[in-house]
Amino acid sequence: MIDVRPFSSLGGGDHGWLNARHHFSFADYYDPSRMGWGRLRVWNDDEIAAKSGFPPHPHADMEIITYVRAGAITHEDSMGNRGRTGAGDVQVMSAGTGVRHSEFNLEDETTTLFQIWIEADQRGAKPAWGAKVFPRVDRSGTFSVLASGDPGDEATFGSLAINADARVLGATLNAGESLTYSLGEGRRAYLVPAVGAVEVNGVPLNARDGAAIKDEAGITVTATSDAELVMVDSL
């Protein structure tokens, strides 16, 4: 089953400093048919104006992954962490027992990003934050594991660690190229092209559309134009 959620159908709105679109119910947007996809709870498509951002606010028991598409985001938190994550790169925050953080676009240009929330496996875990550079060239023609709850992925692929039985993956494809991903039994995937257009098992998907996938043992993605993909594989 592949359920396409066109970008034009997403909730959210333009708040001036923030133009946000929500793939799932979030904040003032509520759709009972879009409450999440398995353990995946939030996928926000955010455009943050220059010199603006999210002031300090709290989270707990959630894995929050930020994939920066353009520009950069600067993170600060109550654990004493501070870091800048640029385009194509990823940061993760395991909120655990609780953490306060801010996310600001300190650049002179608009920052665009995907903010992804996955429900934590273990409640009350120790909070943590991390960020890493993931060159797009290393993802050419294949899915690279960007964040994962499997320690083996961290050892093999250098992925960032999260407290969830999930993988966050990224890939780039040139027009006409294909790749295939095996989805385990009982698992779900949610795939969004950051840019470009693709077909997922023959189903067309445009830039920033979402595809909710289940009961598909193999996922074949074919680019109809140059594309950059982000996907979550979770229970």
Side-chain angles (χ1 to χ4, degrees):
M1 188 205 83
I2 300 175
D3 179 21
V4 175
R5 285 91 183 273
F7 179 75
S8 61
S9 75
L10 304 182
D14 191 341
H15 306 282
W17 69 273
L18 172 68
N19 187 359
R21 293 294 182 271
H22 310 311
H23 285 259
F24 305 108
S25 295
F26 186 85
D28 294 332
Y29 167 59
Y30 176 71
D31 182 338
S33 68
R34 294 185 180 179
M35 295 302 297
W37 189 244
R39 303 297 294 276
L40 174 62
R41 180 60 188 84
V42 169
W43 191 307
N44 289 346
D45 183 324
D46 290 342
E47 299 177 0
I48 305 168
K51 310 301 183 183
S52 64
F54 300 92
H57 57 282
H59 292 287
D61 292 321
M62 192 69 70
E63 303 302 297
I64 300 174
I65 301 98
T66 304
Y67 181 96
V68 180
R69 291 152 41 213
I73 198 76
T74 298
H75 166 99
E76 289 192 62
D77 64 43
S78 55
M79 298 178 285
N81 297 304
R82 188 179 193 277
R84 177 183 180 276
T85 303
D89 301 330
V90 178
Q91 70 170 14
V92 300
M93 187 177 75
S94 296
T97 52
V99 63
R100 290 180 62 84
H101 75 121
S102 63
E103 307 290 338
F104 274 91
N105 173 15
L106 302 180
E107 315 302 312
D108 295 323
E109 61 179 325
T110 298
T111 288
T112 62
L113 55 82
F114 292 143
Q115 186 182 135
I116 298 165
W117 296 14
I118 302 172
E119 295 175 2
D121 285 352
Q122 178 186 353
R123 297 181 66 84
K126 182 179 178 180
W129 175 84
K132 189 171 180 180
V133 173
F134 289 96
R136 286 182 170 105
V137 66
D138 293 347
R139 296 176 249 155
S140 179
T142 187
F143 274 118
S144 292
V145 185
L146 309 176
S148 174
D150 183 348
D153 284 342
E154 185 177 2
T156 304
F157 303 107
S159 58
L160 291 160
I162 56 175
N163 174 28
D165 183 1
R167 280 175 147 187
V168 181
L169 307 115
T172 62
L173 289 173
N174 293 325
E177 289 186 331
S178 296
L179 61 78
T180 298
Y181 181 82
S182 296
L183 191 63
E185 185 176 356
R187 301 185 70 84
R188 302 179 184 217
Y190 198 84
L191 184 147
V192 180
V195 296
V198 300
E199 291 184 353
V200 183
N201 289 0
V203 177
L205 202 65
N206 293 314
R208 299 162 78 183
D209 292 349
I213 305 165
K214 69 175 181 178
D215 301 329
E216 302 273 344
I219 301 170
T220 298
V221 184
T222 301
T224 52
S225 64
D226 292 352
E228 180 179 348
L229 312 172
V230 181
M231 185 170 77
V232 170
D233 168 351
S234 67
L235 291 174

